[in-house]
Amino acid sequence: MKKYFTFIILSVSVSAFAQDFDKNMATAKASYSSGNLEDARFAMEQMLRDLDVMIGKEILKMLPAKMGTLSANVADDNVTGGTGIAGLFVHRTYGVPPKMVVIDIMNNSPLISSLNALLSMPMMGMGGDPNQKQVKVQGYKSILRKNQNTETGKTDYELQVPFNNTLLTLKADDTNEAEILNFANLIPLPKIAQVAQ
Amino acid sequence: MKTKLLVVAALITALSITKLPAQSMLNKLKKTAEDNALKKLGGKTGTTTTPGNTNTNTNTDPNSNGNNSNPSNNSGGGLISTPPDVKQSLADGDVAYKAGKYGEARYSVQQAMLGVELEIGNKILKSLPSTVSGLTTQTSEDQVTSTGYGWAGLTIHREYGNGNDKEFRVTVANNAAWMSSVNMYLSSGGYAQTTGGQQNWKQTKVKGYRAIIEYSEGSGYKLSVPIGQSSLVVLEGVNFASEPDMMTAANNFDYDGIKKMLGEQ
């Protein structure tokens, strides 16, 4: 029942965006033809934002419904489009505290270049930090960080996977390396990379 | 454990004792090798070299880049600068969107936006005065830059000069990231001006717009004029005699017109 409800909400919001996109496309074409460049530009900015949101919703559909025994908190799903600096942003959580898994996907992320530098030069920044290492997930070079939570005394992990201009971050509470890598392997990374770029 | 420490300590001492003679020996060897190489090169290319002088140009092949094997490029017309076709890009975006290819649609809309931003930029460039304070437009330096994203926005740049050392530069930036810091200066009364010592920046007004004027010994005058919500005009004057001179130059620009063309309120 909950699934149907979510599907209806998603469908309604997608069709609302579709209407906005069509309206903005018509405005952009008309404004450009009449020489009103600024209005054309504004309509295009809106279109880019709408497209980011549409792409984000496509990505949400690709994410698994469960991470191990943890179910997705679909009601907390979040997609933002921003025509820019951090462009598309997709957020999903699984489980409840104290055991949660969080997926964040950012397009045009400013973090990408620094992460890629780390990945292409393994000696840089890696050697000195025993809580950080490179791993491969579905063929993608990634950075895995271990965090000792001082409040709970438990170990949290964070995995960052950069592809093209997109960054996927997977965080898991109270876990171990094998479990977070299992979680990561449930995410269809190549498909997300294809849609997000 | 102790034995290991003793061995390490002995090694460090031995190295520090032998460091100086070993270094001088290495330096001697290096110098001899350099001198020999220079003598050989001098003989081969017909140039004479004096010991110690390593600035001799021994490159006799105009096509050589020093590697003697790969020719360097000395012809070619560069890339053709073609702004994207806005109408075509929009049509492509529409088709891709209807086919559910959102990534493709986004690329096409970005291209369309790039085209429109470049047109806006060129329109603003045309509206700028052709001379400022006796300095003429350096057409080759005219520049419009757009990312097609809308956030790092659009930058328009022009330079004026007289062939001597006096120069005036104007940069119009739309959706510029540095806008916030300039507006912070202007809106915060806490940034008081100093009355003692050298005054290097102050608030001023240009054609009714609040602005900040700065002076630096190295780069001259700089006037930042925020216009509208997200645009900034930066004027830089090199070797301008005084602040009034700089302000006279700044008054040549139609800020209202630029603001309107950028669609600012």
Side-chain angles (χ1 to χ4, degrees):
Chain A
M1 189 64 193
K2 199 180 169 188
K3 269 188 187 172
Y4 286 119
F5 187 63
T6 316
F7 179 73
I8 291 166
I9 292 178
L10 267 175
S11 309
V12 170
S13 56
V14 166
S15 70
F17 277 112
Q19 279 174 14
D20 283 351
F21 184 88
D22 289 339
K23 206 175 103 190
N24 286 320
M25 177 62 85
T27 310
K29 282 180 179 171
S31 302
Y32 183 74
S33 298
S34 66
N36 187 347
L37 299 178
E38 191 42 48
D39 280 358
R41 183 187 186 208
F42 184 73
M44 287 173 199
E45 275 179 15
Q46 301 305 308
M47 281 153 71
L48 286 175
R49 197 165 283 135
D50 292 346
L51 282 168
D52 272 347
V53 174
M54 303 285 285
I55 292 168
K57 287 185 188 296
E58 288 287 304
I59 291 172
L60 274 178
K61 279 189 219 163
M62 291 174 185
L63 295 179
K66 278 192 160 196
M67 281 281 176
T69 54
L70 309 174
S71 303
N73 304 310
V74 185
D76 297 335
D77 277 357
N78 191 5
V79 177
T80 323
T83 29
I85 194 136
L88 162 70
F89 179 73
V90 180
H91 175 81
R92 169 168 280 183
T93 62
Y94 295 85
V96 285
K99 175 85 175 170
M100 280 191 87
V101 171
V102 180
I103 298 177
D104 285 327
I105 298 164
M106 268 173 99
N107 184 250
N108 292 328
S109 166
L111 283 172
I112 299 266
S113 51
S114 50
L115 273 176
N116 278 332
L118 268 180
L119 290 172
S120 56
M121 288 180 278
M123 292 311 287
M124 200 177 94
M126 291 289 184
D129 191 349
N131 292 319
Q132 178 173 292
K133 71 170 183 177
Q134 267 196 39
V135 289
K136 262 197 173 183
V137 182
Q138 297 172 44
Y140 292 95
K141 280 186 189 175
S142 316
I143 291 169
L144 181 66
R145 284 193 190 94
K146 189 167 94 174
N147 233 334
Q148 197 69 41
N149 192 324
T150 46
E151 281 176 24
T152 59
K154 300 200 168 146
T155 311
D156 305 335
Y157 273 85
E158 182 183 283
L159 180 77
Q160 287 181 308
V161 192
F163 31 75
N164 305 330
N165 57 345
T166 307
L167 173 68
L168 183 139
T169 309
L170 175 72
K171 289 178 199 162
D173 300 330
D174 186 16
T175 189
N176 54 49
E177 192 178 322
E179 192 181 37
I180 195 169
L181 291 176
N182 277 341
F183 289 159
N185 279 317
L186 296 171
I187 304 169
L189 295 178
K191 279 187 182 172
I192 292 175
Q194 197 186 359
V195 172
Q197 74 177 343
Chain B
M1 187 68 189
K2 265 187 183 174
T3 332
K4 266 186 188 175
L5 277 172
L6 274 172
V7 171
V8 172
L11 263 172
I12 291 170
T13 323
L15 274 172
S16 60
I17 292 166
T18 52
K19 198 178 167 192
L20 284 173
Q23 242 178 12
S24 68
M25 201 161 175
L26 263 176
N27 284 341
K28 265 187 190 172
L29 273 171
K30 203 175 152 194
K31 203 171 178 306
T32 323
E34 271 176 8
D35 287 349
N36 284 341
L38 281 169
K39 267 180 205 165
K40 275 191 181 172
L41 276 170
K44 207 177 184 182
T45 58
T47 55
T48 52
T49 51
T50 50
N53 178 12
T54 51
N55 291 329
T56 319
N57 181 13
T58 53
N59 189 358
T60 51
D61 181 2
N63 283 331
S64 163
N65 60 4
N67 207 4
N68 291 335
S69 55
N70 300 324
S72 59
N73 184 53
N74 51 22
S75 61
L79 299 180
I80 303 160
S81 174
T82 19
D85 182 336
V86 177
K87 282 183 181 172
Q88 187 57 49
S89 297
L90 282 176
D92 291 348
D94 211 3
V95 171
Y97 175 78
K98 280 173 182 147
K101 294 176 181 168
Y102 302 130
E104 281 298 310
R106 181 167 63 178
Y107 175 77
S108 297
V109 176
Q110 274 174 359
Q111 288 299 300
M113 188 133 139
L114 184 68
V116 166
E117 287 198 336
L118 291 176
E119 278 187 42
I120 293 173
N122 283 321
K123 215 168 130 186
I124 290 173
L125 261 186
K126 273 187 196 160
S127 78
L128 298 179
S130 54
T131 57
V132 172
S133 301
L135 306 173
T136 51
T137 303
Q138 309 292 299
T139 324
S140 60
E141 302 297 328
D142 275 359
Q143 207 172 47
V144 178
T145 317
S146 160
T147 55
Y149 276 117
W151 54 274
L154 171 64
T155 315
I156 299 129
H157 183 79
R158 171 167 281 182
E159 291 181 10
Y160 298 88
N162 60 359
N164 293 323
D165 57 354
K166 194 173 176 182
E167 195 176 68
F168 189 82
R169 298 186 285 264
V170 55
T171 308
V172 181
N174 178 244
N175 287 339
W178 5 304
M179 268 298 292
S180 55
S181 54
V182 176
N183 276 330
M184 188 183 74
Y185 269 122
L186 291 171
S187 59
S188 166
Y191 286 90
Q193 289 174 25
T194 47
T195 49
Q198 177 71 39
Q199 178 75 49
N200 285 329
W201 77 270
K202 67 174 187 179
Q203 294 193 21
T204 183
K205 269 195 170 186
V206 189
K207 288 191 166 177
Y209 289 93
R210 287 184 190 183
I212 291 168
I213 186 163
E214 294 164 74
Y215 179 73
S216 142
E217 291 269 341
S219 52
Y221 289 97
K222 182 177 166 187
L223 185 69
S224 306
V225 193
I227 50 170
Q229 286 175 295
S230 58
S231 297
L232 181 69
V233 181
V234 179
L235 306 162
E236 291 164 284
V238 180
N239 288 320
F240 272 64
S242 64
E243 187 190 326
D245 266 8
M246 181 66 190
M247 294 308 284
T248 310
N251 278 319
N252 279 297
F253 293 88
D254 175 15
Y255 300 96
D256 286 337
I258 296 173
K259 189 174 150 185
K260 201 177 161 197
M261 278 183 263
L262 288 170
E264 288 277 13
Q265 286 300 318

